[in-house]
Amino acid sequence: MLVTAVAGTAGVGKTALAVRWAHRVRDRFPDGQLYVDLHGYGPDRPVAPEDALAGFLRALGVDGGSIPPEPAERAARYRTLLDGRRVLVVLDNAHSAEQVRPLLPGSPTACAVITSRDALAGLVAREGAHRLTLDRLPPADARSLLRQLLGARATAAPAAVDALIERCARLPLALRITAELADRHEALELLDLDGDPYTAVRAVFSWSYQRLDPDVARVFRLFGVLPGHDADAHTLAAMAGTGPRSARHALETLLRAHLVDRIAPGRYQPHDLLRAYAAELAADPGHTAERATALTRLSRYYRAASAAALDAVAPYEKARRPAAPAWDGELPALASPEAARRWLDTERAGLLEATRHGPPELTRFLSDTLWRHLETGGYHDDSVTLHERALVLARESGDRLAEANALRQLSTALNRSGGDLHRAIALLRQALVRYEELGEPELRDASLVNLGNAYASLGDHFEALRQYRLAQEGGAGGWVLHRAALCNSGISLQLLGRYEEAAQAMRTALALCQEHGDRTNEGNILSGLAEVSLQLGEEDRAYEEARRALGLARETGYRLVESHALRVLGQLHERRAEPERALHHHIRAEAIAREVGDPGLIASALNSLAGARAVAGHPRQALREYAESIAVAVGSDHRDLLARAHAGIAEVHAGLGDRDSARAHWRQALTHCEALGLPETDRVRERLAQCGPEPATA
């Protein structure tokens, strides 16, 4: 592994050098490039190594549900994925050696380039990094740069150019900004620099800032208030109390003045030095009221826009979400699920950062609103962080209802993330106590359904059914809660082999969806019914239900259901001796499961895909996919899926004539099946017996 550390003062051009070099040598790294801005310096906290690793793992194709929770495990998975690959890793704006050390690839075929204001002596000493120190531009190069920027004016006034170069401390960033001001002769007469480069840079910034119209200057100051790193016109318009058109004009003016950069279409971000300067301006006592008003408006905007986005993504849950505050400004176009998801993905970091120091009502609102998007998007770290913050704030304020809600949401995040399911169950039981004390029967019954889901994830479907029954007996949640309990009961009944009961529960739930126009969950239930019909031998009915489920899933953007419906269609094609068509559906189902990031869905899809591989005559690939399913199931404590993966591996080994390996996996499958009371128990016991007795030992 080749490591190069590019060090130098702020504004000297470290990032520009690294990024330009990375573009020039792209063909040397055919397996790709990874980039992260570690925000090591500036008003924001540096990016934690574990968060950067999560981003890299996603970029390398790891779904959200399979990202290990522990930093050391993430680093190990990252290095394993890069082993043997020719990849360039750019770690920009690092704060320290400790921040970047877990992000180094480790493979001799990979290369890492790090930029930092720090000399990173630890990396040079321990990792053998080559350090390249960038000094400020030599006078000749600075003159050349100004000639490029100013043309004939620079040639005509060499003395003025030299004075300007020294006042800019020979920093490229300052020189580029000052070139915009070259027609202002007073720029050459300002400030005794006293040998302090940052004083020089601040002076240059002030020259550019003082030229701005008041409305544009205010937008620049708002970057010093913004919780996230970048923003669009709608966000800054909300903070400024103007319209997006006005904010967009201000941003384009700032862009021409080199005070912000356009980092993506419609999104802007200042250099960290400029961000720090904007924060200094915003913190001035003369702007105290402006700062407070901007943060208040931002909180209201984030709540209004998040609510509108979730109304488009999950309209069937609107009644269960908190009401958004009235908003007098313009919101982005969020009417379609696709546009809403794009906005939520783009703004996710800013929304989460706003909860770090924002008002408690914002954190509580986002905890109760964003959970669905964070869950389906596989952003499990963010989900746990958000709900943990909501829980702390609720306990600090003594708000017991907010505490109960945060407990419930946090437990759901832990369940979906494949985290500590036993902790999730404990949190839900605390929430149940709070709801009972507060007289909130509907929220209590919703928690019972969530509790059933947690037990189902553990593979304890008997206890899951008990919780679903208690939720239905409570009767406080109306048709929505009744539908959820029936649907989930049907899934557990099916997994216990009680197919007729499962079909009855699901058909009752389906009728509720059709009566109330809930097309999203209609697709969900049809997908479950298709699997039950298949197990009952009703192939034509199963095919029709799966096709209808797939159409509804794609119509409503319900990716989890799309994956499940494709998996059922794959199983149907297996029954019809169409292995290639079966594989096609299973491969697509597995890919979508990874995109969703639900570990239970991923393990199920991998089990089905591996089974189809074996039938199609690819046993070695089947073994690899079963092994991955085991890793996901163990990491998320899905014991029933673990049992089925071991049974699948045993079948493959038996087909290959490896009776010892088959026997070992049948035995593990039997242990889990017996403990959970799964319907496969008798068949697994029979297959184990067919392997014969254990070989004798000497």
Side-chain angles (χ1 to χ4, degrees):
M1 172 186 62
L2 177 63
V3 180
T4 301
V6 182
T9 190
V12 79
K14 302 181 295 297
T15 298
L17 174 65
V19 170
R20 184 171 183 180
W21 181 80
H23 282 295
R24 290 180 60 184
V25 300
R26 185 181 297 274
D27 59 336
R28 298 187 197 174
F29 301 97
D31 295 319
Q33 299 184 1
L34 297 171
Y35 172 87
V36 62
D37 183 349
L38 294 170
H39 296 286
Y41 296 88
D44 299 319
R45 62 175 180 173
V47 174
E50 56 267 28
D51 293 338
L53 284 168
F56 279 170
L57 289 172
R58 287 178 186 278
L60 291 167
V62 178
D63 59 273
S66 296
I67 294 175
E70 296 299 323
E73 294 175 1
R74 290 184 182 183
R77 182 78 180 276
Y78 165 66
R79 291 190 176 113
T80 298
L81 288 171
L82 291 189
D83 187 36
R85 293 193 187 185
R86 294 171 62 187
V87 172
L88 174 63
V89 181
V90 179
L91 307 174
D92 191 23
N93 200 9
H95 183 265
S96 65
E98 289 71 24
Q99 186 188 25
V100 301
R101 193 167 277 123
L103 308 177
L104 299 177
S107 173
T109 59
C111 176
V113 174
I114 306 152
T115 73
S116 179
R117 299 183 201 175
D118 187 87
L120 300 177
L123 289 184
V124 176
R126 288 179 53 183
E127 278 73 27
H130 171 71
R131 182 166 59 219
L132 173 64
T133 301
L134 293 189
D135 198 355
R136 286 174 280 169
L137 287 174
D141 290 347
R143 292 188 198 102
S144 177
L145 175 60
L146 280 181
R147 281 196 294 270
Q148 293 176 33
L149 296 170
L150 298 176
R153 287 179 295 171
T155 305
V161 164
D162 286 346
L164 184 61
I165 287 169
E166 291 309 310
R167 282 165 172 76
C168 290
R170 291 182 281 123
L171 293 173
L173 174 68
L175 287 167
R176 286 185 177 278
I177 293 174
T178 306
E180 291 289 306
L181 309 168
D183 58 340
R184 286 177 54 117
H185 300 294
E186 63 267 29
L188 301 178
E189 302 168 2
L190 292 178
L191 295 177
D192 177 5
L193 303 181
D194 295 327
D196 181 353
Y198 185 64
T199 300
V201 174
R202 185 189 285 109
V204 171
F205 293 168
S206 73
W207 304 338
S208 191
Y209 171 73
Q210 290 166 10
R211 286 192 73 185
L212 300 174
D213 290 338
D215 289 343
V216 178
R218 179 174 54 162
V219 170
F220 177 70
R221 290 194 299 272
L222 291 176
F223 276 105
V225 180
L226 185 75
H229 302 299
D230 57 87
D232 64 1
H234 281 90
T235 301
L236 289 164
M239 297 175 73
T242 62
R245 182 176 180 180
S246 174
R248 200 172 290 113
H249 170 75
L251 287 165
E252 289 298 319
T253 302
L254 294 172
L255 182 68
R256 289 193 298 273
H258 299 287
L259 291 174
V260 299
D261 298 316
R262 185 187 287 116
I263 61 168
R267 298 200 69 81
Y268 302 83
Q269 174 179 304
H271 183 282
D272 58 358
L273 279 179
L274 285 159
R275 177 96 184 277
Y277 179 61
E280 288 180 7
L281 295 171
D284 184 274
H287 299 305
T288 299
E290 175 185 274
R291 178 187 179 91
T293 299
L295 288 172
T296 298
R297 289 185 59 83
L298 180 64
S299 173
R300 290 177 54 219
Y301 167 73
Y302 273 162
R303 284 180 282 165
S306 297
L310 265 298
D311 286 349
V313 170
Y316 53 92
E317 291 173 340
K318 183 173 182 178
R320 297 176 59 188
R321 289 192 292 269
W327 179 245
D328 57 0
E330 182 179 332
L331 293 177
L334 300 171
S336 73
E338 295 76 18
R341 278 191 288 267
R342 281 196 301 271
W343 184 87
L344 289 164
D345 281 335
T346 303
E347 297 292 344
R348 177 175 50 86
L351 289 166
L352 267 292
E353 188 64 20
T355 67
R356 194 157 68 94
H357 299 300
E361 61 269 19
L362 174 63
T363 303
R364 176 178 177 177
F365 185 93
L366 294 181
S367 175
D368 288 339
T369 302
L370 292 182
W371 67 271
R372 170 64 71 185
H373 176 70
L374 297 175
E375 173 189 305
T376 57
Y379 300 116
H380 303 310
D381 288 353
D382 289 344
S383 187
V384 171
T385 297
L386 173 60
H387 302 316
E388 291 272 22
R389 286 177 184 165
L391 181 58
V392 169
L393 289 171
R395 285 175 170 167
E396 287 177 351
S397 66
D399 188 331
R400 298 171 73 196
L401 179 58
E403 179 187 1
N405 288 340
L407 286 165
R408 181 165 57 88
Q409 301 292 9
L410 178 57
S411 69
T412 301
L414 291 170
N415 184 7
R416 284 297 191 187
S417 69
D420 187 344
L421 288 173
H422 297 284
R423 184 189 175 209
I425 289 170
L427 294 175
L428 276 169
R429 294 201 176 279
Q430 292 178 46
L432 280 167
V433 171
R434 301 292 187 279
Y435 289 138
E436 288 283 4
E437 293 171 346
L438 294 166
E440 293 284 351
E442 183 173 347
L443 293 170
R444 175 205 61 205
D445 291 350
S447 296
L448 288 169
V449 172
N450 292 340
L451 191 56
N453 294 342
Y455 279 113
S457 294
L458 281 172
D460 190 347
H461 296 288
F462 294 104
E463 184 59 29
L465 286 170
R466 193 174 80 85
Q467 299 301 327
Y468 298 142
R469 185 175 63 253
L470 289 172
Q472 290 175 276
E473 290 171 354
W479 76 268
V480 172
L481 190 64
H482 188 46
R483 179 263 303 154
L486 282 167
C487 176
N488 295 341
S489 294
I491 294 170
S492 285
L493 288 165
Q494 174 234 326
L495 292 169
L496 290 172
R498 294 157 61 178
Y499 302 128
E500 294 288 356
E501 294 175 77
Q504 182 179 352
M506 289 183 179
R507 290 196 176 106
T508 304
L510 181 64
L512 286 170
C513 289
Q514 292 171 338
E515 178 185 349
H516 293 278
D518 183 354
R519 295 177 66 77
T520 299
N521 281 294
E522 181 181 351
N524 183 23
I525 295 164
L526 279 168
S527 180
L529 267 173
E531 189 162 19
V532 173
S533 297
L534 181 61
Q535 289 159 332
L536 288 169
E538 301 171 352
E539 292 186 13
D540 290 342
R541 170 179 272 182
Y543 183 79
E544 179 60 27
E545 289 166 340
R547 293 297 300 175
R548 287 169 58 198
L550 185 61
L552 285 166
R554 288 172 173 168
E555 173 193 322
T556 60
Y558 205 158
R559 302 284 278 161
L560 184 150
V561 174
E562 184 179 0
S563 174
H564 186 265
L566 286 166
R567 181 158 59 86
V568 176
L569 287 168
Q571 292 168 347
L572 272 162
H573 287 299
E574 287 178 57
R575 291 274 188 96
R576 295 173 176 178
E578 299 170 340
E580 293 306 317
R581 295 188 71 183
L583 267 178
H584 172 77
H585 285 84
H586 284 305
I587 289 169
R588 186 64 187 133
E590 186 255 358
I592 294 172
R594 291 185 183 280
E595 292 169 13
V596 172
D598 184 312
L601 189 68
I602 295 164
S604 295
L606 283 166
N607 280 344
S608 296
L609 176 58
R613 297 273 195 208
V615 169
H618 309 293
R620 298 300 175 189
Q621 194 164 356
L623 288 174
R624 287 194 294 271
E625 283 155 352
Y626 275 130
E628 187 175 357
S629 176
I630 285 177
V632 174
V634 168
S636 56
D637 213 4
H638 283 75
R639 291 176 289 172
D640 52 348
L641 298 175
L642 181 61
R644 294 181 175 108
H646 279 298
I649 292 174
E651 285 286 9
V652 174
H653 281 303
L656 292 170
D658 186 350
R659 294 176 65 185
D660 291 342
S661 295
R663 183 188 301 106
H665 284 282
W666 283 127
R667 187 180 302 106
Q668 292 190 67
L670 182 60
T671 298
H672 293 296
C673 286
E674 288 179 335
L676 298 171
L678 298 180
E680 302 98 317
T681 302
D682 289 342
R683 184 182 64 84
V684 170
R685 188 181 292 113
E686 179 183 346
R687 295 292 284 130
L688 177 59
Q690 291 170 358
C691 288
E694 294 279 357
T697 57

